[in-house]
PDB file of all heavy atoms in Angstrom:
ATOM      1  N   TYR A  46     -32.745  11.098  70.396  1.00 98.00           N
ATOM      2  CA  TYR A  46     -32.479  10.741  69.007  1.00 98.00           C
ATOM      3  C   TYR A  46     -33.652   9.971  68.443  1.00 98.00           C
ATOM      4  O   TYR A  46     -34.565   9.585  69.184  1.00 98.00           O
ATOM      5  CB  TYR A  46     -31.187   9.914  68.909  1.00 98.00           C
ATOM      6  CG  TYR A  46     -31.288   8.483  69.373  1.00 98.00           C
ATOM      7  CD1 TYR A  46     -31.224   7.424  68.474  1.00 98.00           C
ATOM      8  CD2 TYR A  46     -31.446   8.168  70.728  1.00 98.00           C
ATOM      9  CE1 TYR A  46     -31.309   6.099  68.895  1.00 98.00           C
ATOM     10  CE2 TYR A  46     -31.541   6.847  71.149  1.00 98.00           C
ATOM     11  CZ  TYR A  46     -31.465   5.828  70.242  1.00 98.00           C
ATOM     12  OH  TYR A  46     -31.569   4.524  70.663  1.00 98.00           O
ATOM     13  N   ASP A  47     -33.633   9.749  67.163  1.00 98.00           N
ATOM     14  CA  ASP A  47     -34.625   8.876  66.543  1.00 98.00           C
ATOM     15  C   ASP A  47     -33.974   8.199  65.350  1.00 98.00           C
ATOM     16  O   ASP A  47     -32.983   8.706  64.819  1.00 98.00           O
ATOM     17  CB  ASP A  47     -35.885   9.654  66.113  1.00 98.00           C
ATOM     18  CG  ASP A  47     -37.129   8.814  66.379  1.00 98.00           C
ATOM     19  OD1 ASP A  47     -37.317   7.798  65.679  1.00 98.00           O
ATOM     20  OD2 ASP A  47     -37.863   9.147  67.320  1.00 98.00           O
ATOM     21  N   VAL A  48     -34.507   7.055  64.999  1.00 98.00           N
ATOM     22  CA  VAL A  48     -33.986   6.305  63.853  1.00 98.00           C
ATOM     23  C   VAL A  48     -35.157   5.951  62.947  1.00 98.00           C
ATOM     24  O   VAL A  48     -36.180   5.437  63.415  1.00 98.00           O
ATOM     25  CB  VAL A  48     -33.278   5.008  64.298  1.00 98.00           C
ATOM     26  CG1 VAL A  48     -32.835   4.199  63.080  1.00 98.00           C
ATOM     27  CG2 VAL A  48     -32.096   5.313  65.194  1.00 98.00           C
ATOM     28  N   HIS A  62     -41.736   9.279  62.863  1.00 98.00           N
ATOM     29  CA  HIS A  62     -40.423   9.426  63.513  1.00 98.00           C
ATOM     30  C   HIS A  62     -40.123  10.895  63.791  1.00 98.00           C
ATOM     31  O   HIS A  62     -39.599  11.229  64.858  1.00 98.00           O
ATOM     32  CB  HIS A  62     -39.330   8.798  62.644  1.00 98.00           C
ATOM     33  CG  HIS A  62     -39.364   7.298  62.660  1.00 98.00           C
ATOM     34  ND1 HIS A  62     -38.804   6.558  63.672  1.00 98.00           N
ATOM     35  CD2 HIS A  62     -39.920   6.412  61.806  1.00 98.00           C
ATOM     36  CE1 HIS A  62     -38.999   5.270  63.435  1.00 98.00           C
ATOM     37  NE2 HIS A  62     -39.677   5.154  62.302  1.00 98.00           N
ATOM     38  N   ARG A  65     -42.232  12.056  66.793  1.00 98.00           N
ATOM     39  CA  ARG A  65     -41.701  11.579  68.074  1.00 98.00           C
ATOM     40  C   ARG A  65     -40.429  12.336  68.433  1.00 98.00           C
ATOM     41  O   ARG A  65     -40.252  12.767  69.582  1.00 98.00           O
ATOM     42  CB  ARG A  65     -41.425  10.066  67.999  1.00 98.00           C
ATOM     43  CG  ARG A  65     -40.931   9.483  69.314  1.00 98.00           C
ATOM     44  CD  ARG A  65     -40.836   7.963  69.290  1.00 98.00           C
ATOM     45  NE  ARG A  65     -39.804   7.490  68.365  1.00 98.00           N
ATOM     46  CZ  ARG A  65     -39.531   6.199  68.168  1.00 98.00           C
ATOM     47  NH1 ARG A  65     -40.211   5.256  68.804  1.00 98.00           N
ATOM     48  NH2 ARG A  65     -38.582   5.833  67.324  1.00 98.00           N
ATOM     49  N   TYR A 101     -30.162   3.063  57.227  1.00 98.00           N
ATOM     50  CA  TYR A 101     -30.454   3.311  58.651  1.00 98.00           C
ATOM     51  C   TYR A 101     -30.139   4.787  58.849  1.00 98.00           C
ATOM     52  O   TYR A 101     -29.002   5.216  58.615  1.00 98.00           O
ATOM     53  CB  TYR A 101     -29.535   2.412  59.461  1.00 98.00           C
ATOM     54  CG  TYR A 101     -29.539   2.565  60.959  1.00 98.00           C
ATOM     55  CD1 TYR A 101     -30.222   1.648  61.757  1.00 98.00           C
ATOM     56  CD2 TYR A 101     -28.827   3.582  61.593  1.00 98.00           C
ATOM     57  CE1 TYR A 101     -30.206   1.749  63.139  1.00 98.00           C
ATOM     58  CE2 TYR A 101     -28.814   3.683  62.973  1.00 98.00           C
ATOM     59  CZ  TYR A 101     -29.496   2.764  63.738  1.00 98.00           C
ATOM     60  OH  TYR A 101     -29.474   2.854  65.105  1.00 98.00           O
ATOM     61  N   VAL A 135     -31.197  -5.627  63.880  1.00 97.00           N
ATOM     62  CA  VAL A 135     -30.949  -6.057  65.265  1.00 97.00           C
ATOM     63  C   VAL A 135     -30.489  -7.521  65.284  1.00 97.00           C
ATOM     64  O   VAL A 135     -29.675  -7.921  66.110  1.00 97.00           O
ATOM     65  CB  VAL A 135     -32.238  -5.880  66.105  1.00 97.00           C
ATOM     66  CG1 VAL A 135     -32.129  -6.598  67.429  1.00 97.00           C
ATOM     67  CG2 VAL A 135     -32.530  -4.400  66.338  1.00 97.00           C
ATOM     68  N   ARG A 154     -34.818  -2.838  83.903  1.00 98.00           N
ATOM     69  CA  ARG A 154     -34.761  -1.628  83.084  1.00 98.00           C
ATOM     70  C   ARG A 154     -34.749  -0.435  84.042  1.00 98.00           C
ATOM     71  O   ARG A 154     -35.409  -0.484  85.099  1.00 98.00           O
ATOM     72  CB  ARG A 154     -36.012  -1.587  82.178  1.00 98.00           C
ATOM     73  CG  ARG A 154     -36.050  -0.415  81.203  1.00 98.00           C
ATOM     74  CD  ARG A 154     -35.144  -0.640  80.019  1.00 98.00           C
ATOM     75  NE  ARG A 154     -35.220   0.437  79.038  1.00 98.00           N
ATOM     76  CZ  ARG A 154     -34.224   1.313  78.818  1.00 98.00           C
ATOM     77  NH1 ARG A 154     -33.092   1.256  79.495  1.00 98.00           N
ATOM     78  NH2 ARG A 154     -34.363   2.218  77.892  1.00 98.00           N
ATOM     79  N   PRO A 162     -38.856   6.170  79.518  1.00 98.00           N
ATOM     80  CA  PRO A 162     -38.466   5.353  78.353  1.00 98.00           C
ATOM     81  C   PRO A 162     -39.172   5.768  77.067  1.00 98.00           C
ATOM     82  O   PRO A 162     -38.781   5.327  75.986  1.00 98.00           O
ATOM     83  CB  PRO A 162     -38.889   3.936  78.762  1.00 98.00           C
ATOM     84  CG  PRO A 162     -40.011   4.141  79.718  1.00 98.00           C
ATOM     85  CD  PRO A 162     -39.751   5.433  80.433  1.00 98.00           C
ATOM     86  N   LYS A 165     -36.775   8.714  73.567  1.00 98.00           N
ATOM     87  CA  LYS A 165     -35.719   7.819  73.052  1.00 98.00           C
ATOM     88  C   LYS A 165     -34.366   8.336  73.528  1.00 98.00           C
ATOM     89  O   LYS A 165     -34.032   9.503  73.303  1.00 98.00           O
ATOM     90  CB  LYS A 165     -35.809   7.774  71.528  1.00 98.00           C
ATOM     91  CG  LYS A 165     -35.212   6.529  70.900  1.00 98.00           C
ATOM     92  CD  LYS A 165     -35.697   6.387  69.476  1.00 98.00           C
ATOM     93  CE  LYS A 165     -34.760   5.575  68.621  1.00 98.00           C
ATOM     94  NZ  LYS A 165     -34.593   4.184  69.001  1.00 98.00           N
ATOM     95  N   ASN A 166     -33.620   7.488  74.212  1.00 98.00           N
ATOM     96  CA  ASN A 166     -32.428   7.976  74.923  1.00 98.00           C
ATOM     97  C   ASN A 166     -31.269   6.999  74.842  1.00 98.00           C
ATOM     98  O   ASN A 166     -31.430   5.833  74.459  1.00 98.00           O
ATOM     99  CB  ASN A 166     -32.789   8.240  76.392  1.00 98.00           C
ATOM    100  CG  ASN A 166     -33.181   6.968  77.110  1.00 98.00           C
ATOM    101  OD1 ASN A 166     -32.351   6.114  77.398  1.00 98.00           O
ATOM    102  ND2 ASN A 166     -34.479   6.798  77.370  1.00 98.00           N
ATOM    103  N   TRP A 169     -28.104   3.333  78.140  1.00 98.00           N
ATOM    104  CA  TRP A 169     -28.110   1.928  77.726  1.00 98.00           C
ATOM    105  C   TRP A 169     -27.265   1.018  78.622  1.00 98.00           C
ATOM    106  O   TRP A 169     -27.043  -0.138  78.285  1.00 98.00           O
ATOM    107  CB  TRP A 169     -27.606   1.809  76.273  1.00 98.00           C
ATOM    108  CG  TRP A 169     -28.715   1.932  75.262  1.00 98.00           C
ATOM    109  CD1 TRP A 169     -29.740   2.825  75.262  1.00 98.00           C
ATOM    110  CD2 TRP A 169     -28.921   1.099  74.100  1.00 98.00           C
ATOM    111  NE1 TRP A 169     -30.560   2.621  74.173  1.00 98.00           N
ATOM    112  CE2 TRP A 169     -30.085   1.584  73.438  1.00 98.00           C
ATOM    113  CE3 TRP A 169     -28.227   0.033  73.547  1.00 98.00           C
ATOM    114  CZ2 TRP A 169     -30.572   0.996  72.262  1.00 98.00           C
ATOM    115  CZ3 TRP A 169     -28.720  -0.541  72.365  1.00 98.00           C
ATOM    116  CH2 TRP A 169     -29.876  -0.066  71.744  1.00 98.00           C
ATOM    117  N   PHE A 172     -29.022  -2.158  79.383  1.00 98.00           N
ATOM    118  CA  PHE A 172     -29.069  -3.073  78.230  1.00 98.00           C
ATOM    119  C   PHE A 172     -27.721  -3.752  78.007  1.00 98.00           C
ATOM    120  O   PHE A 172     -27.645  -4.934  77.672  1.00 98.00           O
ATOM    121  CB  PHE A 172     -29.422  -2.314  76.948  1.00 98.00           C
ATOM    122  CG  PHE A 172     -30.868  -1.891  76.841  1.00 98.00           C
ATOM    123  CD1 PHE A 172     -31.189  -0.650  76.317  1.00 98.00           C
ATOM    124  CD2 PHE A 172     -31.899  -2.729  77.231  1.00 98.00           C
ATOM    125  CE1 PHE A 172     -32.514  -0.255  76.185  1.00 98.00           C
ATOM    126  CE2 PHE A 172     -33.232  -2.339  77.106  1.00 98.00           C
ATOM    127  CZ  PHE A 172     -33.526  -1.095  76.581  1.00 98.00           C
ATOM    128  N   GLU A 198     -38.403  -4.173  77.503  1.00 98.00           N
ATOM    129  CA  GLU A 198     -37.911  -4.094  76.121  1.00 98.00           C
ATOM    130  C   GLU A 198     -36.442  -4.520  76.101  1.00 98.00           C
ATOM    131  O   GLU A 198     -35.852  -4.778  77.150  1.00 98.00           O
ATOM    132  CB  GLU A 198     -38.065  -2.667  75.590  1.00 98.00           C
ATOM    133  CG  GLU A 198     -37.351  -1.630  76.436  1.00 98.00           C
ATOM    134  CD  GLU A 198     -37.705  -0.188  76.086  1.00 98.00           C
ATOM    135  OE1 GLU A 198     -38.144   0.066  74.961  1.00 98.00           O
ATOM    136  OE2 GLU A 198     -37.508   0.682  76.960  1.00 98.00           O
ATOM    137  N   GLY A 199     -35.880  -4.577  74.911  1.00 98.00           N
ATOM    138  CA  GLY A 199     -34.487  -4.983  74.762  1.00 98.00           C
ATOM    139  C   GLY A 199     -33.684  -3.881  74.090  1.00 98.00           C
ATOM    140  O   GLY A 199     -34.218  -2.811  73.777  1.00 98.00           O
ATOM    141  N   PRO A 200     -32.382  -4.126  73.881  1.00 98.00           N
ATOM    142  CA  PRO A 200     -31.522  -3.101  73.273  1.00 98.00           C
ATOM    143  C   PRO A 200     -31.918  -2.830  71.821  1.00 98.00           C
ATOM    144  O   PRO A 200     -31.457  -3.507  70.908  1.00 98.00           O
ATOM    145  CB  PRO A 200     -30.115  -3.689  73.378  1.00 98.00           C
ATOM    146  CG  PRO A 200     -30.313  -5.159  73.589  1.00 98.00           C
ATOM    147  CD  PRO A 200     -31.654  -5.353  74.228  1.00 98.00           C
ATOM    148  N   GLY A 201     -32.811  -1.853  71.668  1.00 98.00           N
ATOM    149  CA  GLY A 201     -33.228  -1.449  70.324  1.00 98.00           C
ATOM    150  C   GLY A 201     -34.513  -2.091  69.838  1.00 98.00           C
ATOM    151  O   GLY A 201     -34.816  -2.006  68.650  1.00 98.00           O
ATOM    152  N   PHE A 202     -35.281  -2.714  70.726  1.00 98.00           N
ATOM    153  CA  PHE A 202     -36.515  -3.350  70.234  1.00 98.00           C
ATOM    154  C   PHE A 202     -37.583  -3.467  71.316  1.00 98.00           C
ATOM    155  O   PHE A 202     -37.290  -3.512  72.500  1.00 98.00           O
ATOM    156  CB  PHE A 202     -36.221  -4.731  69.635  1.00 98.00           C
ATOM    157  CG  PHE A 202     -35.536  -5.710  70.568  1.00 98.00           C
ATOM    158  CD1 PHE A 202     -36.254  -6.464  71.481  1.00 98.00           C
ATOM    159  CD2 PHE A 202     -34.153  -5.886  70.519  1.00 98.00           C
ATOM    160  CE1 PHE A 202     -35.629  -7.368  72.328  1.00 98.00           C
ATOM    161  CE2 PHE A 202     -33.510  -6.790  71.362  1.00 98.00           C
ATOM    162  CZ  PHE A 202     -34.244  -7.528  72.266  1.00 98.00           C
ATOM    163  N   ASN A 203     -38.844  -3.520  70.855  1.00 98.00           N
ATOM    164  CA  ASN A 203     -39.987  -3.913  71.685  1.00 98.00           C
ATOM    165  C   ASN A 203     -40.291  -5.387  71.405  1.00 98.00           C
ATOM    166  O   ASN A 203     -39.659  -5.997  70.540  1.00 98.00           O
ATOM    167  CB  ASN A 203     -41.222  -3.066  71.324  1.00 98.00           C
ATOM    168  CG  ASN A 203     -41.062  -1.605  71.679  1.00 98.00           C
ATOM    169  OD1 ASN A 203     -41.010  -0.748  70.793  1.00 98.00           O
ATOM    170  ND2 ASN A 203     -41.010  -1.296  72.951  1.00 98.00           N
ATOM    171  N   LEU A 204     -41.264  -5.926  72.147  1.00 98.00           N
ATOM    172  CA  LEU A 204     -41.547  -7.364  72.029  1.00 98.00           C
ATOM    173  C   LEU A 204     -43.059  -7.632  72.007  1.00 98.00           C
ATOM    174  O   LEU A 204     -43.834  -6.922  72.661  1.00 98.00           O
ATOM    175  CB  LEU A 204     -40.907  -8.072  73.220  1.00 98.00           C
ATOM    176  CG  LEU A 204     -41.120  -9.585  73.310  1.00 98.00           C
ATOM    177  CD1 LEU A 204     -39.828 -10.292  73.690  1.00 98.00           C
ATOM    178  CD2 LEU A 204     -42.209  -9.935  74.317  1.00 98.00           C
ATOM    179  N   THR A 219     -41.782   1.121  78.424  1.00 98.00           N
ATOM    180  CA  THR A 219     -41.005   0.946  77.199  1.00 98.00           C
ATOM    181  C   THR A 219     -41.115   2.190  76.326  1.00 98.00           C
ATOM    182  O   THR A 219     -42.028   3.002  76.492  1.00 98.00           O
ATOM    183  CB  THR A 219     -41.542  -0.226  76.343  1.00 98.00           C
ATOM    184  OG1 THR A 219     -42.815   0.148  75.807  1.00 98.00           O
ATOM    185  CG2 THR A 219     -41.698  -1.494  77.132  1.00 98.00           C
ATOM    186  N   LEU A 220     -40.196   2.255  75.358  1.00 98.00           N
ATOM    187  CA  LEU A 220     -40.366   3.216  74.270  1.00 98.00           C
ATOM    188  C   LEU A 220     -41.640   2.837  73.512  1.00 98.00           C
ATOM    189  O   LEU A 220     -41.900   1.653  73.299  1.00 98.00           O
ATOM    190  CB  LEU A 220     -39.164   3.129  73.316  1.00 98.00           C
ATOM    191  CG  LEU A 220     -39.206   4.081  72.111  1.00 98.00           C
ATOM    192  CD1 LEU A 220     -38.966   5.520  72.566  1.00 98.00           C
ATOM    193  CD2 LEU A 220     -38.170   3.683  71.066  1.00 98.00           C
ATOM    194  N   LYS A 221     -42.412   3.851  73.133  1.00 98.00           N
ATOM    195  CA  LYS A 221     -43.577   3.572  72.274  1.00 98.00           C
ATOM    196  C   LYS A 221     -43.030   3.480  70.845  1.00 98.00           C
ATOM    197  O   LYS A 221     -43.030   4.464  70.087  1.00 98.00           O
ATOM    198  CB  LYS A 221     -44.631   4.667  72.392  1.00 98.00           C
ATOM    199  CG  LYS A 221     -45.210   4.786  73.800  1.00 98.00           C
ATOM    200  CD  LYS A 221     -46.119   3.588  74.136  1.00 98.00           C
ATOM    201  CE  LYS A 221     -46.771   3.737  75.490  1.00 98.00           C
ATOM    202  NZ  LYS A 221     -46.488   2.691  76.445  1.00 98.00           N
ATOM    203  N   GLY A 222     -42.497   2.314  70.523  1.00 98.00           N
ATOM    204  CA  GLY A 222     -41.806   2.132  69.245  1.00 98.00           C
ATOM    205  C   GLY A 222     -42.737   2.374  68.062  1.00 98.00           C
ATOM    206  O   GLY A 222     -43.927   2.047  68.119  1.00 98.00           O
ATOM    207  N   ILE A 223     -42.169   2.911  66.990  1.00 98.00           N
ATOM    208  CA  ILE A 223     -42.974   3.131  65.786  1.00 98.00           C
ATOM    209  C   ILE A 223     -43.304   1.769  65.155  1.00 98.00           C
ATOM    210  O   ILE A 223     -44.385   1.575  64.600  1.00 98.00           O
ATOM    211  CB  ILE A 223     -42.221   4.036  64.771  1.00 98.00           C
ATOM    212  CG1 ILE A 223     -41.787   5.360  65.433  1.00 98.00           C
ATOM    213  CG2 ILE A 223     -43.063   4.287  63.526  1.00 98.00           C
ATOM    214  CD1 ILE A 223     -42.885   6.253  65.921  1.00 98.00           C
ATOM    215  N   THR A 224     -42.393   0.811  65.271  1.00 98.00           N
ATOM    216  CA  THR A 224     -42.683  -0.529  64.738  1.00 98.00           C
ATOM    217  C   THR A 224     -43.753  -1.211  65.590  1.00 98.00           C
ATOM    218  O   THR A 224     -44.583  -1.970  65.064  1.00 98.00           O
ATOM    219  CB  THR A 224     -41.407  -1.389  64.693  1.00 98.00           C
ATOM    220  OG1 THR A 224     -40.301  -0.559  64.351  1.00 98.00           O
ATOM    221  CG2 THR A 224     -41.520  -2.500  63.664  1.00 98.00           C
ATOM    222  N   ARG A 225     -43.741  -0.935  66.877  1.00 98.00           N
ATOM    223  CA  ARG A 225     -44.790  -1.454  67.779  1.00 98.00           C
ATOM    224  C   ARG A 225     -46.149  -0.893  67.352  1.00 98.00           C
ATOM    225  O   ARG A 225     -47.126  -1.634  67.200  1.00 98.00           O
ATOM    226  CB  ARG A 225     -44.429  -1.037  69.213  1.00 98.00           C
ATOM    227  CG  ARG A 225     -45.416  -1.412  70.281  1.00 98.00           C
ATOM    228  CD  ARG A 225     -44.934  -0.801  71.604  1.00 98.00           C
ATOM    229  NE  ARG A 225     -45.804  -1.122  72.724  1.00 98.00           N
ATOM    230  CZ  ARG A 225     -46.927  -0.474  72.994  1.00 98.00           C
ATOM    231  NH1 ARG A 225     -47.338   0.513  72.217  1.00 98.00           N
ATOM    232  NH2 ARG A 225     -47.651  -0.823  74.053  1.00 98.00           N
ATOM    233  N   ALA A 226     -46.206   0.431  67.150  1.00 98.00           N
ATOM    234  CA  ALA A 226     -47.467   1.061  66.726  1.00 98.00           C
ATOM    235  C   ALA A 226     -47.897   0.503  65.365  1.00 98.00           C
ATOM    236  O   ALA A 226     -49.082   0.230  65.135  1.00 98.00           O
ATOM    237  CB  ALA A 226     -47.286   2.573  66.650  1.00 98.00           C
ATOM    238  N   ILE A 258     -39.417  -6.358  67.614  1.00 98.00           N
ATOM    239  CA  ILE A 258     -39.712  -5.401  66.545  1.00 98.00           C
ATOM    240  C   ILE A 258     -38.882  -4.154  66.708  1.00 98.00           C
ATOM    241  O   ILE A 258     -38.684  -3.650  67.821  1.00 98.00           O
ATOM    242  CB  ILE A 258     -41.214  -5.027  66.566  1.00 98.00           C
ATOM    243  CG1 ILE A 258     -41.602  -4.662  67.972  1.00 98.00           C
ATOM    244  CG2 ILE A 258     -42.063  -6.123  65.984  1.00 98.00           C
ATOM    245  CD1 ILE A 258     -43.033  -4.478  68.205  1.00 98.00           C
ATOM    246  N   SER A 259     -38.392  -3.656  65.588  1.00 98.00           N
ATOM    247  CA  SER A 259     -37.509  -2.497  65.613  1.00 98.00           C
ATOM    248  C   SER A 259     -37.434  -1.886  64.221  1.00 98.00           C
ATOM    249  O   SER A 259     -37.555  -2.609  63.219  1.00 98.00           O
ATOM    250  CB  SER A 259     -36.100  -2.941  66.027  1.00 98.00           C
ATOM    251  OG  SER A 259     -35.190  -1.877  65.905  1.00 98.00           O
ATOM    252  N   THR A 260     -37.191  -0.586  64.169  1.00 98.00           N
ATOM    253  CA  THR A 260     -36.869   0.046  62.886  1.00 98.00           C
ATOM    254  C   THR A 260     -35.651  -0.629  62.267  1.00 98.00           C
ATOM    255  O   THR A 260     -35.526  -0.700  61.056  1.00 98.00           O
ATOM    256  CB  THR A 260     -36.602   1.554  63.121  1.00 98.00           C
ATOM    257  OG1 THR A 260     -37.819   2.130  63.597  1.00 98.00           O
ATOM    258  CG2 THR A 260     -36.150   2.262  61.873  1.00 98.00           C
ATOM    259  N   ALA A 261     -34.746  -1.113  63.127  1.00 98.00           N
ATOM    260  CA  ALA A 261     -33.549  -1.813  62.653  1.00 98.00           C
ATOM    261  C   ALA A 261     -33.875  -3.292  62.411  1.00 98.00           C
ATOM    262  O   ALA A 261     -33.445  -4.173  63.158  1.00 98.00           O
ATOM    263  CB  ALA A 261     -32.415  -1.659  63.660  1.00 98.00           C
TER     264      ALA A 261
HETATM  265  N1  LIG B 401     -37.010   0.161  72.510  1.00 95.64           N
HETATM  266  C1  LIG B 401     -35.800   0.721  72.518  1.00 95.64           C
HETATM  267  C2  LIG B 401     -35.080   0.883  73.808  1.00 95.64           C
HETATM  268  C3  LIG B 401     -35.219   1.177  71.320  1.00 95.64           C
HETATM  269  O1  LIG B 401     -34.007   1.753  71.349  1.00 95.64           O
HETATM  270  C4  LIG B 401     -35.916   0.972  70.112  1.00 95.64           C
HETATM  271  C5  LIG B 401     -35.323   1.413  68.833  1.00 95.64           C
HETATM  272  O2  LIG B 401     -34.189   1.779  68.740  1.00 95.64           O
HETATM  273  C6  LIG B 401     -37.163   0.362  70.153  1.00 95.64           C
HETATM  274  C7  LIG B 401     -37.700  -0.030  71.367  1.00 95.64           C
HETATM  275  C8  LIG B 401     -37.955   0.152  68.881  1.00 95.64           C
HETATM  276  O3  LIG B 401     -38.466   1.388  68.435  1.00 95.64           O
HETATM  277  P1  LIG B 401     -38.802   1.658  66.911  1.00 95.64           P
HETATM  278  O4  LIG B 401     -39.810   0.655  66.510  1.00 95.64           O
HETATM  279  O5  LIG B 401     -39.348   3.059  66.906  1.00 95.64           O
HETATM  280  O6  LIG B 401     -37.536   1.515  66.154  1.00 95.64           O
END
Side-chain angles (χ1 to χ4, degrees):
Y46 75 110
D47 219 291
V48 176
H62 287 278
R65 183 172 67 180
Y101 174 102
V135 167
R154 183 77 177 110
K165 204 164 156 64
N166 64 72
W169 271 43
F172 286 140
E198 57 191 337
F202 57 83
N203 293 114
L204 178 137
T219 70
L220 180 72
K221 297 289 184 239
I223 305 297
T224 324
R225 177 185 181 278
I258 49 189
S259 173
T260 296

